[in-house]
Structures are given as structure tokens and as C-alpha cells.
Amino acid sequence: GIERFNKTLKRYLMMKMYNDDTKDWVKLIPIFIEIYNSTESDVTKRTPNSLNEETDKKELKAVKQKITESVSSKNQNDDQKFEVGDRVR
């Protein structure tokens, strides 16, 4: 979710600042947001711009289900079981 977005934002800003030889990252945020919101998601096959308040509730429910299934299928592969007192790092 949010960690992936932050990683994508950081990667974009670093690349653009290097390529454009600038340190003014604030100027790049609106450009990134427009690009990000116009890019199709691998999971939903839709762009964030196409999913707004006016979108049919049934369609939004289907998108939510696709996202849930995608996350659930990844979590089902986790065989690790933790118990109280286990060290995880």
C-alpha cells in the first residue's frame, strides 16, 4: 500500500532530480501525481483517475475485491507462524 507508493515516489523524485540537475523536488510532486494517477494498476487494470466518486458502486466493489484477493493470495504464501516471545528481527 502506502510503502509501495512512497518507494515509487522516492524513485521518481531521485531520477528526475538527477536527470534535470535540480534539487527542487517540490516542483516535481504535481507532475508525479499526474503521472501516477494516469497509470493503470496491475491489479485493478484501471487508473486511479478513472476511479472516482462518480464511479458505479458495483464497479468499486469489484475493484476492492480484486485488491483484497491480490493481497490475500500473497499473504497465504506466508508459512511462518509466530508465538509470543519470538524474535522477529
Side-chain angles (χ1 to χ4, degrees):
I2 201 73
E3 294 86 6
R4 184 174 181 185
F5 174 84
N6 288 341
K7 181 179 177 181
T8 303
L9 172 61
K10 180 180 177 183
R11 190 175 342 119
Y12 173 82
L13 291 176
M14 297 300 285
M15 178 191 68
K16 281 298 280 179
M17 288 183 347
Y18 177 80
N19 288 341
D20 296 353
D21 194 27
T22 183
K23 292 183 181 180
D24 190 6
W25 60 269
V26 174
K27 222 169 55 174
L28 299 172
I29 298 287
I31 299 166
F32 169 78
I33 295 299
E34 182 59 35
I35 292 168
Y36 186 86
N37 285 336
S38 301
T39 303
E40 185 179 277
S41 164
D42 291 337
V43 175
T44 65
K45 305 300 183 212
R46 302 285 306 271
T47 68
N49 281 340
S50 71
L51 299 172
N52 57 41
E53 297 99 24
E54 297 174 14
T55 304
D56 182 44
K57 288 183 181 184
K58 184 177 179 182
E59 188 175 348
L60 285 176
K61 189 174 181 179
V63 167
K64 182 179 177 182
Q65 183 64 31
K66 285 181 183 179
I67 292 169
T68 301
E69 288 170 1
S70 174
V71 171
S72 295
S73 67
K74 291 175 185 169
N75 290 342
Q76 287 174 353
N77 294 333
D78 293 344
D79 293 338
Q80 299 174 345
K81 304 292 180 208
F82 299 108
E83 296 181 14
V84 174
D86 286 350
R87 297 187 128 206
V88 293
R89 291 197 182 228

